[in-house]
Amino acid sequence: MDDLAELLYKVYDNWGKERCLNVPDCFRQSFSDLEKEIRKTIPGKLDIRYQNSGQIYKVQPDDQIIRHEYGWFPKISVFEDIPGMYQEYKKLSDSDSGHFANIRNWISKNTLLVHILELISGFILFEFLNKYTGTYAQFKMIDLRLVFIVFMGSLYGINYGISAAALETCSLIAAYRQENVNIYTLFYEASNWIPFIFYFAAGAVCGYIRLKNKEDIEFVTKENRLIKEKFFFMQEMYQETLQDKRQYKKQILGSRDSFGKIFDITRKLDVIQPQKLFMETIRVMEDVLENHTIVLYSLDSWKRFGRMEMSSPEIRRKMPNSIRIEEYQNAIETLEKGEVWRNRELLAGYPAYIAGIKRNEELVMLVFIQDAASNQMTLYYLNLIKILCGLVEVSLLRALEYQEAVRDREYLEGTHILKTEYFMERLKLFHSIKEQKIGSYALLQIENPEMTLEETDRILKNKIRENDILGISEDGQLYLILSQVDDAMLPIVIERLEKNGLHCRVIDTRNESRVAEE
């Protein structure tokens, strides 16, 4: 049935012309195979007979239409269900067999009659006990009539408690009559009413307690049933979601277009270092978009400037290391809405596409696609950029949250200075970025023995950019990685730092092992 349901879903999902489809018999099973399976499942001697009145028809050969058009073929044999069906049948047969089962069924169908019979038989039994034990001194302290009323009220509720009290009232009146107590004496002497009052009170109270407990149990049972239904519903929804996820994963991975690649890049973007994420982003977008003019700019906290983080090697030297956001106001409004801006009017100085990465509903990064071919100015291409940027946004937010979470572990206490092991890790990453020609950097050694690390950190805090990295080596030397700084800008940066009392020495980054030793 599961296989057939899957086929019907696929047929209705891709409904073509009206025709007759042949569901193939891939297992080639016969009644003799069924007999063998039944004998294998059910131990012992079995008497299996075949009748000649069954209709026999020839199975159509497999024409391969369903397999080719819908990618479907039977996967589950009906013989696989036989053991489970037999176990279920055996369980039902064992539980519902015998005279006790018939008695239980009769009692469950005639509950009222059974309770009335129990009331009458219990009344007779207690009357016999009351008469038989009346001569014993031990039982004179016990009122068996009251015991019977309590039993019936506690077991079956207020109606049976009152009924038992009425029966025992008649029994007590009969006992008074046997002792030559006149009925008028019972009625006019108020003290004689006390046992009758207690009989009905005991029956009513015990019955009420039983009724209340029963209602509480029914309420809790109903609530538990509701909770179980919700749980099974959520479990079913979870299973369906998991099944849909697997199905969509197969569909995406089996897709012929580039959406299969988009799913695959989520693993490539699963990194915790922002610089490494930028590097993977450039690779992925170049591969999927088939475009090599991609630039990533990170925005400062005032949203006035954008600093280049990384770019495609082909245009790295053509694009500025810093941009003014006000020069791209025509695109900012679209980006703040979460859309991708497309240069339809061919505005001068603008790239072909601009996409935004947001954090807490604020832009933190711009993705430039500087040039695009005519066949890349389509709605499909724009949606592809939006999907890619969405994946990058999720990965970037996760990476930033992780960096904030481990900040105390990576940085020296109270400073913005990376510890040695983490600094060397970033330095190797920047060296790899430079080798791939998707970014550049410069390495400075800060030489000022008169200042402490905290004093140097306070000075550099306002003199370097957010994407520059400050770290310390094993021998206590302070180093500064200047991201996206070339030979022309380097003297300007050094001059600005020396004006603040920091002496800098440029380290040759062409040999990373030499840098690590220094």
Side-chain angles (χ1 to χ4, degrees):
M1 296 304 296
D2 293 338
D3 277 349
L4 184 60
E6 181 183 355
L7 173 62
L8 293 176
Y9 176 80
K10 291 186 175 183
V11 171
Y12 290 134
D13 188 51
N14 187 19
W15 189 264
K17 60 182 180 180
E18 190 170 338
R19 56 181 172 171
C20 180
L21 296 174
N22 177 32
V23 180
D25 177 22
C26 298
F27 298 101
R28 303 294 180 186
Q29 295 165 342
S30 62
F31 283 103
S32 62
D33 298 328
L34 178 62
E35 179 182 351
K36 293 177 183 178
E37 190 67 28
I38 292 177
R39 291 186 182 277
K40 187 191 306 181
T41 304
I42 305 175
K45 295 183 179 181
L46 292 177
D47 183 16
I48 300 179
R49 302 176 183 178
Y50 294 92
Q51 295 182 352
N52 296 325
S53 59
Q55 184 178 0
I56 301 176
Y57 61 93
K58 186 177 181 181
V59 179
Q60 294 291 334
D62 188 6
D63 51 16
Q64 301 290 322
I65 293 178
I66 293 180
R67 177 185 286 268
H68 292 159
E69 292 192 7
Y70 301 102
W72 182 91
F73 58 89
K75 306 179 189 65
I76 304 174
S77 170
V78 292
F79 289 173
E80 296 180 12
D81 294 336
I82 291 179
M85 295 168 62
Y86 174 69
Q87 293 298 330
E88 185 176 356
Y89 161 77
K90 188 177 179 181
K91 187 188 300 182
L92 293 174
S93 300
D94 293 342
S95 61
D96 293 339
S97 61
H99 298 290
F100 290 105
N102 296 330
I103 294 174
R104 285 197 300 270
N105 292 333
W106 185 86
I107 292 175
S108 62
K109 294 178 181 179
N110 302 276
T111 306
L112 179 61
L113 178 60
V114 171
H115 289 173
I116 293 175
L117 292 176
E118 288 180 351
L119 176 66
I120 296 173
S121 59
F123 173 71
I124 295 173
L125 175 62
F126 272 84
E127 283 298 307
F128 172 76
L129 291 175
N130 193 34
K131 184 176 181 181
Y132 179 76
T133 59
T135 57
Y136 291 91
Q138 298 93 324
F139 287 92
K140 291 185 179 296
M141 304 296 296
I142 302 174
D143 189 351
L144 293 179
R145 294 186 180 90
L146 185 60
V147 172
F148 173 69
I149 295 172
V150 171
F151 279 173
M152 296 305 298
S154 300
L155 289 175
Y156 301 120
I158 190 170
N159 293 331
Y160 293 94
I162 297 297
S163 301
L167 291 175
E168 294 299 343
T169 298
C170 297
S171 173
L172 184 60
I173 292 175
Y176 277 128
R177 294 282 300 185
Q178 290 179 358
E179 295 177 0
N180 297 321
V181 178
N182 195 338
I183 188 70
Y184 298 105
T185 304
L186 289 175
F187 180 77
Y188 287 106
E189 184 63 36
S191 60
N192 294 328
W193 298 356
I194 295 177
F196 302 102
I197 294 174
F198 274 99
Y199 284 171
F200 283 96
V205 170
C206 293
Y208 172 76
I209 294 174
R210 164 63 181 172
L211 181 62
K212 186 177 183 301
N213 291 337
K214 183 179 179 181
E215 290 178 350
D216 292 341
I217 293 173
E218 290 178 353
F219 174 76
V220 173
T221 304
K222 188 181 296 183
E223 190 174 17
N224 288 339
R225 189 184 304 115
L226 181 61
I227 293 174
K228 285 184 179 179
E229 290 177 358
K230 291 181 179 179
F231 170 75
F232 287 130
F233 175 74
M234 293 299 296
Q235 188 179 31
E236 184 179 357
M237 291 291 293
Y238 172 76
Q239 294 294 339
E240 291 179 356
T241 303
L242 187 61
Q243 185 176 359
D244 291 342
K245 176 186 174 183
R246 293 171 179 169
Q247 181 180 356
Y248 293 150
K249 181 178 179 180
K250 293 179 181 178
Q251 292 178 356
I252 291 174
L253 292 177
S255 180
R256 296 179 180 176
D257 57 20
S258 58
F259 283 104
K261 300 178 184 178
I262 296 176
F263 180 81
D264 185 57
I265 68 172
T266 54
R267 287 173 290 181
K268 296 180 180 179
L269 296 178
D270 189 16
V271 294
I272 58 176
Q273 292 184 1
Q275 286 78 17
K276 191 173 182 180
L277 175 62
F278 300 149
M279 181 171 61
E280 294 294 339
T281 300
I282 293 294
R283 292 176 181 173
V284 166
M285 297 190 77
E286 285 182 345
D287 181 37
V288 176
L289 299 177
E290 297 180 353
N291 191 298
H292 297 276
T293 62
I294 300 169
V295 189
L296 304 180
Y297 286 102
S298 61
L299 305 185
D300 59 5
S301 56
W302 295 281
K303 306 297 183 292
R304 292 185 299 179
F305 293 96
R307 311 289 185 184
M308 180 191 293
E309 293 289 351
M310 238 156 274
S311 68
S312 298
E314 287 79 355
I315 62 167
R316 188 173 65 84
R317 298 190 179 277
K318 298 178 183 179
M319 298 299 294
N321 292 331
S322 179
I323 60 172
R324 290 182 176 272
I325 303 302
E326 61 184 13
E327 296 177 357
Y328 299 92
Q329 286 299 324
N330 292 330
I332 295 300
E333 184 177 352
T334 302
L335 298 178
E336 289 179 346
K337 296 178 181 178
E339 302 293 333
V340 178
W341 182 83
R342 179 168 48 176
N343 193 358
R344 297 179 179 178
E345 290 80 14
L346 301 179
L347 299 176
Y350 280 75
Y353 289 96
I354 302 179
I357 306 295
K358 286 187 173 183
R359 185 185 186 190
N360 298 330
E361 302 300 326
E362 292 185 359
L363 289 172
V364 294
M365 179 170 289
L366 298 181
V367 180
F368 280 21
I369 301 178
Q370 190 65 19
D371 300 318
S374 57
N375 61 346
Q376 294 178 341
M377 301 297 292
T378 61
L379 182 61
Y380 167 81
Y381 201 76
L382 185 139
N383 290 331
L384 197 57
I385 296 172
K386 187 174 181 179
I387 293 172
L388 285 173
C389 290
L391 295 174
V392 174
E393 180 177 282
V394 173
S395 300
L396 179 62
L397 295 180
R398 183 171 61 248
L400 293 177
E401 289 176 359
Y402 177 82
Q403 292 296 327
E404 291 177 358
V406 300
R407 181 176 181 82
D408 294 338
R409 187 180 67 187
E410 294 185 353
Y411 289 85
L412 295 178
E413 185 177 357
T415 68
H416 298 80
I417 303 174
L418 276 174
K419 295 179 181 178
T420 303
E421 54 180 317
Y422 301 105
F423 177 72
M424 293 308 302
E425 186 178 350
R426 302 287 179 88
L427 182 58
K428 291 178 182 179
L429 180 59
F430 271 97
H431 189 75
S432 176
I433 292 171
K434 188 173 183 178
E435 284 184 339
Q436 298 178 36
K437 298 182 179 180
I438 58 178
S440 63
Y441 78 100
L443 183 62
L444 300 180
Q445 181 181 352
I446 308 298
E447 298 177 340
N448 196 336
E450 299 178 357
M451 291 186 184
T452 62
L453 293 177
E454 290 77 7
E455 293 173 346
T456 306
D457 177 64
R458 283 196 295 270
I459 294 175
L460 289 174
K461 181 178 179 181
N462 298 322
K463 302 303 177 185
I464 60 176
R465 300 165 300 177
E466 294 179 359
N467 53 357
D468 295 333
I469 296 176
L470 189 61
I472 191 170
S473 64
E474 292 183 356
D475 57 357
Q477 294 294 327
L478 200 60
Y479 289 91
L480 177 62
I481 300 177
L482 300 174
S483 177
Q484 301 298 336
V485 173
D486 50 24
D487 296 337
M489 294 179 57
L490 188 56
I492 301 175
V493 177
I494 294 176
E495 183 181 357
R496 184 169 69 244
L497 295 178
E498 289 183 347
K499 286 182 179 180
N500 289 273
L502 299 175
H503 301 288
C504 305
R505 182 167 67 92
V506 181
I507 304 299
D508 187 2
T509 59
R510 289 175 293 182
N511 189 345
E512 186 177 339
S513 61
R514 197 176 104 193
V515 174
E517 291 177 0
E518 295 187 3

